[in-house]
Amino acid sequence: PPPHPTDLVIFGGTGDLSMRKLLPSLYLLDRDGHLEERTRVVAASRNGLTDADLRDKADAAIRGHNAVQVVEPEVMRRFLGRLSHVNIDVGGDPTGWADLADALTPGHDRVFYLAVPPMISGALCRGLRDADLVTPESRVVMEKPLGRDLASSQEINDEVGAVFDESRIYRIDHYLGKETVQNLLVLRFANVLLEPLWNSRWIDHVQITVAETVGVGGRRGYYETSGAMRDMVQNHLLQLLCLTAMEPPSAYDRDAVRDEKLKVLRALRPLTGESVAEHTVRGRYTSGTVRGEEVLGYLDEAGGPAVSDTETFVALKAEVANWRWSGVPFYLRTGKRMSHARSEIVVRFKDVPHTIFPGAASLPGAGALVIRLQPDEGIHLTMPAKVPGAGTLRLRPVPLELSFADTFATRSPEAYERLLRDVLAGDPTLFIRRDEVEAAWNWVDPIIRAWDELGPAPEPYPAGGPGPEGARRLVGSTGRTWHEEE
Ligand code: BG6
């Protein structure tokens, strides 16, 4: 359907997420003709900016964004013209709600984007309701963190749910907005090649890695309350696991896709007590050199205590306990300050049942499907090939490669462009439903509890390296290796 005129209100509209992601993505949507002419963006914050201040700030943020490249003055003028600022202090001076009401246009759809700490989500929603700003069509977008455990997540969901119906709540996991992540579904379900092999009979194990070179930077305060498990595993990595492991949905729609993901989360074998020690590894970076730059260790980063148990790296072995996946380990791994920034899903197929070529059975890396999310988005399949030569028969794994950049001349949109467009169009398929987020916490909570109760403390690893030794042992005890070591 054609986009409907919408008033998009961003709470936390002058903050980091808004400037770094939301406004540049909205600019790109506008440039590409995806914003209805009358659509308006209202940034709500408590820092008293004028509309002109906000536009200056947005202008600079958009120009500084690497996906924008060349700014078209006409588009910039049009986009900045859509922006206005309203001062709202939740719990403070109530006149802000009346100002917000004045900034909204009768007849427009309303989208309220909560780019604020989750503790104030409930109060904001109540403020909207009390000021009579919530129409039956209004939608609300929630950003992470969606709680810090099951109980706090339920509390936030209850508070927001008291004002908005579940079908109107859009919980963002920006990984679902990434092109390659959506491509994973196409790869699995738009051809017949892989699905017959996509099970424990033919797959040895799956690896999901999200490695970053960045540290926690200026986010130490937030990170100290979170750690890699809550910041990355509970959301992004488990979502990738769901898309890899789920059964074929009957349709590409909001309920069918999310129902299948939910079944995967519910089938995860619980890790508790002793099995946590055996199947999980935590790490924390110390100082080191990342891509030629000397960097501080986590405990020396500003904004947090010098003693802390917060992890910046997690590796774990999960199992989806159902008929399809029984006995197939899903190794998940994520860390900051690693040697390379690389996110990928690796599906490692089993060795052939009977070898006729000497050396073929132990050909490391042959028979792997690699779905690369970033950088260099692409898919490749490594197959064994004969090394040319008339001497002894020798085999080597070679890749069959698909590079998105080389294959498609079009730009891959930013994750937030895709997700904002879906919110404006009212399509929640790529957003997280309440039952999913709670099922994910339900699995993660006992792991965090066991860490808190039993330790051990995170294992130090030097910045710029491959992560803690424990991660290698986690896969290595079975003779397997992480993908880049092959
Ligand atoms: C965010 C985390 O959700 O995802 C960050 O809070 C992390 O800590 C980021 O750096 C990674 O996202 P991307 O898109 O850069 O892989």
Side-chain angles (χ1 to χ4, degrees):
H4 200 257
T6 303
D7 291 340
L8 170 60
V9 182
I10 307 174
F11 290 99
T14 60
D16 185 60
L17 180 78
S18 181
M19 290 299 153
R20 263 188 326 109
K21 302 279 189 191
L22 305 182
L23 295 177
S25 296
L26 287 164
Y27 168 87
L28 290 166
L29 287 178
D30 196 1
R31 186 191 69 185
D32 296 346
H34 302 309
L35 292 190
E36 208 276 347
E37 210 186 325
R38 289 159 292 173
T39 286
R40 294 280 171 274
V41 179
V42 181
S45 83
R46 51 176 189 186
N47 54 20
L49 296 191
T50 62
D51 290 350
D53 295 337
L54 172 73
R55 290 181 184 140
D56 286 348
K57 206 168 148 70
D59 182 290
I62 292 164
R63 284 174 201 280
H65 194 279
N66 54 15
V68 172
Q69 298 193 347
V70 184
V71 164
E72 294 166 35
E74 194 40 46
V75 180
M76 185 64 108
R77 216 176 350 245
R78 182 174 73 218
F79 180 69
L80 295 180
R82 298 175 188 272
L83 299 187
S84 60
H85 182 268
V86 169
N87 221 53
I88 293 205
D89 188 1
V90 186
D93 176 8
T95 54
W97 295 108
D99 295 340
L100 179 57
D102 287 343
L104 300 177
T105 321
H108 281 197
D109 276 5
R110 289 177 185 176
V111 172
F112 301 105
Y113 197 120
L114 310 182
V116 292
M119 338 37 120
I120 65 169
S121 305
L124 272 177
C125 292
R126 284 191 295 277
L128 286 168
R129 183 187 54 198
D130 296 346
D132 220 5
L133 299 180
V134 182
T135 56
E137 294 73 34
S138 295
R139 278 151 263 156
V140 65
V141 184
M142 294 172 71
E143 268 291 340
K144 61 172 289 199
L146 299 166
R148 62 185 319 274
D149 54 20
L150 178 59
S152 54
S153 156
Q154 283 169 330
E155 204 176 304
I156 300 168
N157 284 330
D158 284 344
E159 288 193 324
V160 175
V163 177
F164 293 92
D165 185 73
E166 176 63 24
S167 63
R168 307 256 159 223
I169 303 177
Y170 289 64
R171 295 178 191 81
I172 288 221
D173 183 318
H174 79 281
Y175 267 59
L176 294 182
K178 290 181 190 274
E179 279 290 310
T180 343
V181 174
Q182 293 158 49
N183 234 309
L184 175 57
L185 294 184
V186 176
L187 179 76
R188 286 193 59 199
F189 302 132
N191 72 77
V192 296
L193 289 176
L194 295 172
E195 206 46 29
L197 305 180
W198 209 255
N199 56 54
S200 62
R201 173 132 194 240
W202 301 109
I203 291 179
D204 180 70
H205 71 274
V206 176
Q207 299 181 9
I208 299 178
T209 296
V210 177
E212 301 182 279
T213 51
V214 294
V216 297
R219 301 164 76 221
R220 174 93 197 269
Y222 150 74
Y223 204 81
E224 204 39 48
T225 65
S226 166
M229 188 66 159
R230 294 185 174 98
D231 186 49
M232 298 293 287
V233 179
Q234 184 273 343
N235 41 17
H236 308 323
L237 275 84
L238 285 185
Q239 283 295 318
L240 297 179
L241 181 150
C242 285
L243 297 177
T244 310
M246 74 189 204
E247 296 300 317
S250 59
Y252 186 64
D253 72 26
R254 60 186 76 188
D255 286 323
V257 171
R258 297 191 292 179
D259 286 348
E260 294 306 336
K261 287 195 293 166
L262 178 65
K263 286 186 207 158
V264 174
L265 291 166
R266 290 193 171 152
L268 285 171
R269 190 181 296 289
L271 290 176
T272 51
E274 283 304 295
S275 64
V276 171
E278 193 183 337
H279 296 310
T280 72
V281 174
R282 299 201 283 170
R284 181 174 59 223
Y285 61 85
T286 55
S287 59
T289 310
V290 182
R291 298 195 304 185
E293 190 201 335
E294 302 273 326
V295 300
L296 294 176
Y298 175 76
L299 294 178
D300 297 322
E301 304 260 23
V307 179
S308 146
D309 249 0
T310 304
E311 78 285 350
T312 60
F313 177 101
V314 173
L316 59 82
K317 179 178 166 186
E319 190 187 336
V320 181
N322 63 17
W323 199 314
R324 186 192 283 259
W325 293 113
S326 178
V328 178
F330 282 74
Y331 295 105
L332 311 189
R333 173 176 63 153
T334 184
K336 298 215 182 280
R337 288 290 189 223
M338 308 281 285
S339 56
H340 297 93
R342 189 156 71 155
S343 302
E344 63 189 15
I345 299 169
V346 179
V347 178
R348 176 78 166 83
F349 289 93
K350 289 192 170 165
D351 292 331
V352 290
H354 170 70
T355 319
I356 60 168
F357 305 107
S362 60
L363 199 60
L369 177 72
V370 180
I371 300 147
R372 175 72 64 83
L373 310 182
Q374 56 201 34
D376 312 327
E377 301 176 353
I379 296 170
H380 52 107
L381 183 62
T382 48
M383 302 283 254
K386 178 184 173 304
V387 178
T392 325
L393 183 83
R394 283 194 303 122
L395 305 186
R396 210 182 76 189
V398 293
L400 300 176
E401 298 226 328
L402 164 68
S403 148
F404 285 99
D406 294 349
T407 308
F408 299 102
T410 45
R411 168 185 82 88
S412 277
E414 295 285 292
Y416 274 97
E417 282 178 73
R418 167 65 199 237
L419 296 175
L420 282 163
R421 199 177 163 186
D422 285 357
V423 175
L424 294 172
D427 179 357
T429 309
L430 295 176
F431 295 79
I432 313 289
R433 218 164 50 188
R434 174 171 186 160
D435 46 12
E436 282 181 82
V437 90
E438 294 183 0
W441 280 121
N442 197 40
W443 187 73
V444 160
D445 272 2
I447 303 176
I448 297 180
R449 208 172 310 127
W451 285 344
D452 288 347
E453 284 166 11
L454 311 167
E459 185 182 329
Y461 64 94
E469 182 53 32
R472 184 128 35 127
R473 281 197 302 273
L474 183 77
V475 295
S477 59
T478 47
R480 300 176 177 122
T481 53
W482 290 106
H483 181 239
E484 76 274 9
E485 294 165 19
E486 288 170 348

